[in-house]
Amino acid sequence: MGTAVATQEQGSIDPMHQFEVQSIADMFTIGGQTIAFTNSAMFMVAALVGLWAFMLMGMKRQLVPTRGQMMVEGFVGFIDKLLAQNIGKAGRKYVPYVFTLFMFILFANLLGLLPLGLVGLHPFTFTSHFTVTGVLAIMSFSIVLIVGFAKHGLRFFSLFAPKGTPIPVLLLVAPIEFVSFMVRPFSLALRLFVAMTAGHILLKVLASFVVNAANAGAVTGLGVGIPSFALMVGVSALEVLVAGVQAYVFALLTSLYINDAEHLHDHH
Amino acid sequence: MPQIEQVTATFASQLFWVLLTFGLAFFIIGRGMVPRIQSTMDARDDQVAGDLTAAEKARAEADASEEAWRIKENAARETARRKLAAAQAEAAKASEATLAAADAQHAARVAAAEAQIAEASRAAAGEIETVAADAARDIVARLSGAPVSESEAQGAVRAVLHG
């Protein structure tokens, strides 16, 4: 936070500062790496606690649901339906994982958008870090590999050879399929990381326009500040949408990949 | 970009915390809460489906019992109608018989009465002849002083009365 003050004093606002991981408390060292409780960790814990508190509303288990129960059941039903549509009956056993994934990312994205600056806190979106999205993507990819090889053994490699493809074409298609398969975890991780990072940078840049224009004088302040602020309102709304869409895309792609592992190319 | 600049310094703690929090989320929420919420939803769906089936069955039962009731009702109505008709016929027959008996009785009484009247009028007519004959003899005796026998007077009266 000291750097933030410093950059502001220099007259420029660093839009990247929001992504800085700051240690709150160093905990222990393992293999030369310090494990610290950071602002990122704090928001992960906040997402976990928030998600748990949200889910508690759904644990009333009444026949006629309460309002909170309806919300929670709506989300569970949403993921349940997503998996049933994409994977079929076998999809039900993946509901816990995909639901946790979806809700964890959704809560992370939304928590990072909270206007906590108003109360002096710095919001942090840990899904804007590829170290985090990478872990989530590798988990999804590992599940695909584990399920695929456990269920189909070496036949899982037939994923790279679509049925009925002539041999000469296959020589071309199989490497392409293989590359597209191997790119999956990167596309999963980078899509979320880039979407979050870009949105937050855009918001901070627009906000710095407002602040800098106001510092430059009344005319510039109003002329630049008001349109920038109007744009910020719109972009903020868009970012809320993106937060939901990115969580959905992550869950959807994971379910599509799991479908490949479950059914190879037979399904659909 | 801090994400890249800080990667060597922070990846270990990022990894640690994301695995810890996501793991906890997976086991507490994904494995602990989601199946129970799903079972609540399934139970509700089952209950609704069961209730609908039960309602459908009850409706069919009601339809069947209504049909049975209708048949019974129709049969009862038919029986009642037949009984009524029979009773009407019987009553008509009985009243006819009563009427016939009463008619016969009346006719007998009328005939007796007529006979009595005829008798009475005949007796009255006989008496009138006697009285008229007496009166005629008396009148003749008073007027002319000539004696008229009873039989003469009677013959004259009969001739006047009967033409």
Side-chain angles (χ1 to χ4, degrees):
Chain A
M1 287 166 214
T3 48
V5 175
T7 49
Q8 269 169 19
E9 274 166 3
Q10 286 159 14
S12 69
I13 296 163
D14 179 14
M16 304 310 284
H17 176 254
Q18 56 175 326
F19 301 117
E20 247 167 55
V21 178
Q22 285 153 353
S23 177
I24 294 170
D26 289 350
M27 297 196 308
F28 54 88
T29 307
I30 185 164
Q33 287 288 335
T34 308
I35 306 294
F37 187 72
T38 59
N39 53 349
S40 172
M42 192 171 71
F43 271 85
M44 290 179 201
V45 172
L48 174 63
V49 172
L51 180 52
W52 176 74
F54 176 73
M55 294 301 288
L56 269 190
M57 293 195 300
M59 297 305 285
K60 293 210 178 76
R61 313 193 68 189
Q62 287 171 5
L63 183 64
V64 179
T66 59
R67 213 174 293 180
Q69 202 185 340
M70 283 282 274
M71 281 165 66
V72 176
E73 285 180 2
F75 277 104
V76 173
F78 171 66
I79 295 298
D80 203 7
K81 225 173 73 186
L82 176 80
L83 289 178
Q85 279 171 353
N86 287 317
I87 306 179
K89 272 213 177 96
R92 206 142 211 235
K93 59 177 172 289
Y94 302 105
V95 168
Y97 173 70
V98 177
F99 181 79
T100 312
L101 196 62
F102 174 73
M103 295 303 275
F104 195 65
I105 294 172
L106 182 68
F107 269 66
N109 294 350
L110 291 177
L111 280 178
L113 281 173
L114 286 181
L116 294 177
L118 290 177
V119 293
L121 294 169
H122 287 265
F124 184 88
T125 318
F126 62 83
T127 41
S128 65
H129 276 250
F130 57 78
T131 40
V132 174
T133 59
V135 168
L136 298 176
I138 288 167
M139 274 197 285
S140 288
F141 191 64
S142 308
I143 288 172
V144 170
L145 290 181
I146 292 166
V147 169
F149 281 113
K151 214 173 144 104
H152 305 290
L154 290 179
R155 215 165 69 79
F156 184 54
F157 285 113
S158 72
L159 197 62
F160 306 131
K163 245 181 231 160
T165 317
I167 301 288
V169 182
L170 201 61
L171 290 174
L172 203 64
V173 165
I176 293 173
E177 286 273 338
F178 179 71
V179 169
S180 89
F181 182 78
M182 292 312 287
V183 155
R184 283 174 178 183
F186 297 98
S187 77
L188 265 184
L190 291 178
R191 182 182 294 109
L192 179 56
F193 148 67
V194 165
M196 286 300 117
T197 304
H200 282 263
I201 290 175
L202 184 58
L203 279 175
K204 287 298 187 293
V205 167
L206 288 171
S208 73
F209 280 178
V210 177
V211 173
N212 287 339
N215 286 340
V219 178
T220 336
L222 292 175
V224 177
I226 288 173
S228 296
F229 188 75
L231 197 55
M232 256 189 90
V233 172
V235 172
S236 295
L238 185 69
E239 280 307 301
V240 173
L241 182 71
V242 168
V245 167
Q246 287 302 325
Y248 172 65
V249 165
F250 207 108
L252 177 70
L253 288 176
T254 297
S255 74
L256 287 177
Y257 298 160
I258 292 173
N259 176 49
D260 279 350
E262 275 280 339
H263 301 110
L264 296 180
H265 279 307
D266 305 337
H267 196 50
H268 295 307
Chain B
M1 194 177 247
Q3 287 99 318
I4 297 168
E5 286 150 16
Q6 290 187 311
V7 73
T8 48
T10 60
F11 83 92
S13 67
Q14 290 280 69
L15 231 80
F16 171 80
W17 281 105
V18 77
L19 286 176
L20 181 73
T21 49
F22 187 83
L24 283 176
F26 176 68
F27 284 108
I28 296 172
I29 290 151
R31 298 287 291 271
M33 292 165 128
V34 169
R36 293 171 71 186
I37 290 166
Q38 275 181 308
S39 75
T40 310
M41 290 162 75
D42 289 347
R44 182 184 303 124
D45 289 350
D46 286 353
Q47 169 114 31
V48 168
D51 285 359
L52 281 178
T53 338
E56 184 60 33
K57 222 177 84 183
R59 203 173 63 86
E61 258 167 40
D63 280 354
S65 68
E66 198 199 343
E67 191 55 43
W69 172 81
R70 201 189 303 282
I71 290 167
K72 232 162 75 180
E73 169 82 3
N74 283 346
R77 219 183 276 279
E78 182 64 23
T79 316
R81 206 183 53 74
R82 234 178 295 139
K83 262 188 191 159
L84 192 66
Q88 265 174 346
E90 205 172 310
K93 220 185 284 173
S95 69
E96 214 170 286
T98 314
L99 276 177
D103 267 358
Q105 213 175 341
H106 282 146
R109 277 172 66 182
V110 166
E114 274 173 354
Q116 216 174 336
I117 288 166
E119 185 59 36
S121 77
R122 215 172 22 249
E127 249 165 70
I128 279 177
E129 270 177 34
T130 323
V131 170
D134 281 352
R137 251 175 50 192
D138 211 23
I139 290 165
V140 169
R142 292 245 184 112
L143 287 179
S144 59
V148 179
S149 71
E150 210 170 306
S151 59
E152 265 177 339
Q154 267 183 1
V157 164
R158 211 170 278 150
V160 171
L161 275 180
H162 298 298

